[in-house]
Tab-separated table of all heavy atoms in Angstrom:
chain	number	residue	atom	x	y	z
A	1	ARG	N	101.183	86.227	-83.797
A	1	ARG	CA	102.490	85.867	-83.281
A	1	ARG	C	102.320	85.296	-81.821
A	1	ARG	O	103.188	84.472	-81.448
A	1	ARG	CB	103.287	87.144	-83.276
A	1	ARG	CG	104.802	86.935	-83.057
A	1	ARG	CD	105.688	88.086	-83.338
A	1	ARG	NE	107.028	87.833	-83.042
A	1	ARG	CZ	107.803	87.274	-83.996
A	1	ARG	NH1	107.292	87.023	-85.150
A	1	ARG	NH2	109.103	87.096	-83.683
A	2	GLY	N	101.320	85.631	-81.193
A	2	GLY	CA	101.078	85.158	-79.792
A	2	GLY	C	100.278	83.740	-79.690
A	2	GLY	O	100.069	83.281	-78.631
A	3	GLY	N	99.908	83.382	-80.891
A	3	GLY	CA	99.384	81.971	-80.945
A	3	GLY	C	97.879	81.990	-80.946
A	3	GLY	O	97.145	80.838	-80.922
A	4	ILE	N	97.114	83.095	-81.193
A	4	ILE	CA	95.697	83.081	-81.256
A	4	ILE	C	95.231	82.581	-82.706
A	4	ILE	O	95.720	83.125	-83.613
A	4	ILE	CB	95.123	84.375	-80.966
A	4	ILE	CG1	95.476	84.856	-79.531
A	4	ILE	CG2	93.590	84.487	-81.217
A	4	ILE	CD1	95.128	86.242	-79.191
A	5	THR	N	94.392	81.728	-82.738
A	5	THR	CA	94.028	81.081	-84.033
A	5	THR	C	92.640	81.264	-84.439
A	5	THR	O	91.800	81.562	-83.670
A	5	THR	CB	94.261	79.443	-84.032
A	5	THR	OG1	93.451	78.999	-82.931
A	5	THR	CG2	95.681	79.113	-83.599
A	6	GLN	N	92.499	81.268	-85.803
A	6	GLN	CA	91.062	81.503	-86.297
A	6	GLN	C	90.964	80.510	-87.471
A	6	GLN	O	91.943	80.260	-88.235
A	6	GLN	CB	90.941	82.873	-86.833
A	6	GLN	CG	89.653	83.176	-87.511
A	6	GLN	CD	89.582	84.651	-88.077
A	6	GLN	OE1	90.604	85.355	-87.855
A	6	GLN	NE2	88.488	85.012	-88.649
A	7	TYR	N	89.745	79.905	-87.716
A	7	TYR	CA	89.630	78.944	-88.717
A	7	TYR	C	88.315	79.316	-89.437
A	7	TYR	O	87.270	79.661	-88.881
A	7	TYR	CB	89.509	77.593	-88.203
A	7	TYR	CG	90.743	77.075	-87.508
A	7	TYR	CD1	90.878	77.260	-86.124
A	7	TYR	CD2	91.604	76.350	-88.191
A	7	TYR	CE1	92.060	76.701	-85.501
A	7	TYR	CE2	92.705	75.892	-87.524
A	7	TYR	CZ	92.978	76.035	-86.166
A	7	TYR	OH	94.214	75.611	-85.612
A	8	VAL	N	88.191	78.872	-90.714
A	8	VAL	CA	86.971	78.908	-91.431
A	8	VAL	C	86.031	77.651	-90.980
A	8	VAL	O	86.675	76.681	-90.603
A	8	VAL	CB	87.169	78.832	-92.971
A	8	VAL	CG1	87.732	77.471	-93.457
A	8	VAL	CG2	85.940	79.142	-93.753
A	9	ASP	N	84.842	77.823	-90.839
A	9	ASP	CA	83.978	76.834	-90.407
A	9	ASP	C	84.230	75.351	-90.939
A	9	ASP	O	84.239	74.501	-90.278
A	9	ASP	CB	82.540	77.316	-90.480
A	9	ASP	CG	82.209	78.329	-89.496
A	9	ASP	OD1	82.886	78.594	-88.492
A	9	ASP	OD2	80.968	78.895	-89.615
A	10	SER	N	84.435	75.415	-92.299
A	10	SER	CA	84.499	74.112	-93.007
A	10	SER	C	85.705	73.248	-92.612
A	10	SER	O	85.782	72.027	-92.914
A	10	SER	CB	84.549	74.375	-94.531
A	10	SER	OG	85.738	75.150	-94.895
A	11	VAL	N	86.712	73.897	-91.950
A	11	VAL	CA	87.855	73.045	-91.556
A	11	VAL	C	88.031	72.950	-90.029
A	11	VAL	O	88.942	72.185	-89.629
A	11	VAL	CB	89.264	73.707	-92.160
A	11	VAL	CG1	89.126	73.873	-93.584
A	11	VAL	CG2	89.597	74.973	-91.475
A	12	LYS	N	87.108	73.535	-89.201
A	12	LYS	CA	87.237	73.388	-87.822
A	12	LYS	C	87.193	71.889	-87.367
A	12	LYS	O	86.288	71.183	-87.841
A	12	LYS	CB	86.148	74.223	-87.151
A	12	LYS	CG	86.334	75.696	-87.175
A	12	LYS	CD	85.270	76.466	-86.456
A	12	LYS	CE	85.508	77.939	-86.533
A	12	LYS	NZ	84.407	78.713	-85.980
A	13	GLY	N	87.948	71.570	-86.520
A	13	GLY	CA	87.981	70.100	-86.009
A	13	GLY	C	88.888	69.236	-86.866
A	13	GLY	O	89.158	68.068	-86.462
A	14	ARG	N	89.199	69.702	-88.064
A	14	ARG	CA	90.061	68.795	-88.991
A	14	ARG	C	91.560	69.461	-89.178
A	14	ARG	O	92.334	68.693	-89.392
A	14	ARG	CB	89.386	68.659	-90.285
A	14	ARG	CG	87.913	68.070	-90.219
A	14	ARG	CD	87.402	67.759	-91.607
A	14	ARG	NE	87.207	68.912	-92.354
A	14	ARG	CZ	87.701	69.106	-93.593
A	14	ARG	NH1	88.562	68.217	-94.012
A	14	ARG	NH2	87.566	70.368	-94.267
A	15	PHE	N	91.565	70.782	-89.286
A	15	PHE	CA	92.808	71.450	-89.561
A	15	PHE	C	93.385	72.001	-88.296
A	15	PHE	O	92.578	72.530	-87.465
A	15	PHE	CB	92.586	72.422	-90.600
A	15	PHE	CG	92.362	72.016	-92.046
A	15	PHE	CD1	92.096	70.556	-92.306
A	15	PHE	CD2	92.520	72.734	-93.204
A	15	PHE	CE1	91.759	70.130	-93.404
A	15	PHE	CE2	92.199	72.277	-94.403
A	15	PHE	CZ	91.816	71.000	-94.597
A	16	THR	N	94.715	72.059	-88.188
A	16	THR	CA	95.325	72.811	-87.087
A	16	THR	C	96.430	73.621	-87.600
A	16	THR	O	97.415	73.054	-88.194
A	16	THR	CB	95.819	71.852	-86.008
A	16	THR	OG1	94.800	71.034	-85.565
A	16	THR	CG2	96.526	72.613	-84.894
A	17	ILE	N	96.367	74.943	-87.202
A	17	ILE	CA	97.521	75.800	-87.675
A	17	ILE	C	98.403	76.053	-86.473
A	17	ILE	O	97.913	76.137	-85.322
A	17	ILE	CB	96.869	77.154	-88.163
A	17	ILE	CG1	98.082	77.986	-88.877
A	17	ILE	CG2	96.239	77.949	-86.998
A	17	ILE	CD1	97.541	79.254	-89.596
A	18	SER	N	99.678	76.099	-86.706
A	18	SER	CA	100.670	76.354	-85.602
A	18	SER	C	101.765	77.079	-86.231
A	18	SER	O	102.026	77.175	-87.434
A	18	SER	CB	101.254	74.951	-85.038
A	18	SER	OG	101.837	74.173	-86.052
A	19	ARG	N	102.690	77.534	-85.401
A	19	ARG	CA	103.960	78.352	-85.860
A	19	ARG	C	105.069	78.245	-84.969
A	19	ARG	O	104.937	77.999	-83.661
A	19	ARG	CB	103.551	79.896	-86.082
A	19	ARG	CG	103.199	80.666	-84.969
A	19	ARG	CD	102.657	82.023	-85.222
A	19	ARG	NE	103.768	82.934	-85.776
A	19	ARG	CZ	103.534	84.101	-86.227
A	19	ARG	NH1	102.355	84.542	-86.364
A	19	ARG	NH2	104.526	84.896	-86.636
A	20	ASP	N	106.242	78.402	-85.513
A	20	ASP	CA	107.442	78.372	-84.818
A	20	ASP	C	108.050	79.800	-85.089
A	20	ASP	O	108.579	80.127	-86.167
A	20	ASP	CB	108.374	77.292	-85.161
A	20	ASP	CG	109.627	77.172	-84.463
A	20	ASP	OD1	110.230	78.300	-84.002
A	20	ASP	OD2	110.221	76.131	-84.343
A	21	ASN	N	108.057	80.747	-84.088
A	21	ASN	CA	108.410	82.063	-84.270
A	21	ASN	C	109.958	82.150	-84.464
A	21	ASN	O	110.498	83.081	-85.281
A	21	ASN	CB	108.068	83.023	-83.165
A	21	ASN	CG	106.565	83.240	-83.190
A	21	ASN	OD1	105.892	83.290	-84.162
A	21	ASN	ND2	105.939	83.539	-81.911
A	22	ALA	N	110.691	81.307	-83.899
A	22	ALA	CA	112.130	81.313	-83.977
A	22	ALA	C	112.535	80.954	-85.351
A	22	ALA	O	113.589	81.368	-85.926
A	22	ALA	CB	112.787	80.328	-83.069
A	23	LYS	N	111.609	80.158	-86.005
A	23	LYS	CA	111.954	79.736	-87.495
A	23	LYS	C	111.208	80.420	-88.488
A	23	LYS	O	111.378	80.254	-89.697
A	23	LYS	CB	111.714	78.190	-87.597
A	23	LYS	CG	112.728	77.330	-86.781
A	23	LYS	CD	112.260	75.859	-86.963
A	23	LYS	CE	113.191	74.918	-86.211
A	23	LYS	NZ	112.864	73.489	-86.454
A	24	ASN	N	110.412	81.364	-88.123
A	24	ASN	CA	109.493	82.183	-88.941
A	24	ASN	C	108.761	81.153	-89.890
A	24	ASN	O	108.605	81.431	-91.135
A	24	ASN	CB	110.326	82.980	-89.887
A	24	ASN	CG	110.468	84.558	-89.151
A	24	ASN	OD1	109.653	84.851	-88.267
A	24	ASN	ND2	111.405	85.296	-89.735
A	25	THR	N	108.161	80.112	-89.244
A	25	THR	CA	107.568	79.121	-90.009
A	25	THR	C	106.077	78.824	-89.547
A	25	THR	O	105.900	78.846	-88.279
A	25	THR	CB	108.380	77.869	-89.975
A	25	THR	OG1	109.637	77.996	-90.599
A	25	THR	CG2	107.660	76.625	-90.846
A	26	VAL	N	105.189	78.763	-90.367
A	26	VAL	CA	103.840	78.371	-90.039
A	26	VAL	C	103.539	77.098	-90.734
A	26	VAL	O	103.918	76.712	-91.793
A	26	VAL	CB	102.878	79.468	-90.498
A	26	VAL	CG1	102.865	79.663	-92.044
A	26	VAL	CG2	101.520	79.187	-89.956
A	27	TYR	N	102.635	76.242	-90.010
A	27	TYR	CA	102.355	74.914	-90.396
A	27	TYR	C	100.816	74.858	-90.381
A	27	TYR	O	100.036	75.520	-89.843
A	27	TYR	CB	102.783	73.924	-89.411
A	27	TYR	CG	104.250	73.889	-89.157
A	27	TYR	CD1	104.727	74.742	-88.055
A	27	TYR	CD2	105.203	73.318	-89.939
A	27	TYR	CE1	106.109	74.721	-87.753
A	27	TYR	CE2	106.584	73.486	-89.786
A	27	TYR	CZ	107.111	74.103	-88.602
A	27	TYR	OH	108.434	74.154	-88.305
A	28	LEU	N	100.382	73.899	-91.331
A	28	LEU	CA	98.850	73.565	-91.360
A	28	LEU	C	98.893	72.072	-91.403
A	28	LEU	O	99.112	71.464	-92.363
A	28	LEU	CB	98.200	74.238	-92.563
A	28	LEU	CG	96.711	74.006	-92.617
A	28	LEU	CD1	96.084	74.765	-91.478
A	28	LEU	CD2	96.070	74.434	-93.953
A	29	GLN	N	98.292	71.421	-90.319
A	29	GLN	CA	98.048	70.078	-90.334
A	29	GLN	C	96.725	69.856	-90.728
A	29	GLN	O	95.731	70.334	-89.983
A	29	GLN	CB	98.268	69.503	-88.836
A	29	GLN	CG	98.120	68.006	-88.650
A	29	GLN	CD	98.988	67.220	-89.377
A	29	GLN	OE1	100.217	67.347	-89.342
A	29	GLN	NE2	98.513	66.192	-90.103
A	30	MET	N	96.539	69.101	-91.699
A	30	MET	CA	95.256	68.853	-92.358
A	30	MET	C	94.938	67.345	-92.136
A	30	MET	O	95.571	66.419	-92.766
A	30	MET	CB	95.255	69.235	-93.760
A	30	MET	CG	95.636	70.603	-94.022
A	30	MET	SD	95.422	71.231	-95.719
A	30	MET	CE	96.596	70.196	-96.386
């Protein structure tokens, strides 16, 4: 909820996870 992220090694540098707490929405930019 505070924005700390974790990725599997195979997607690091290519995928980005983000969230909008006000909208209860999570995104994955690939």
Side-chain angles (χ1 to χ4, degrees):
R1 192 167 181 84
I4 298 172
T5 59
Q6 178 185 359
Y7 297 91
V8 67
D9 285 347
S10 60
V11 308
K12 286 180 180 177
R14 301 189 297 122
F15 291 10
T16 302
I17 189 170
S18 61
R19 67 187 286 170
D20 183 334
N21 289 333
K23 295 181 179 179
N24 269 344
T25 299
V26 62
Y27 306 95
L28 186 68
Q29 177 67 44
M30 305 185 293

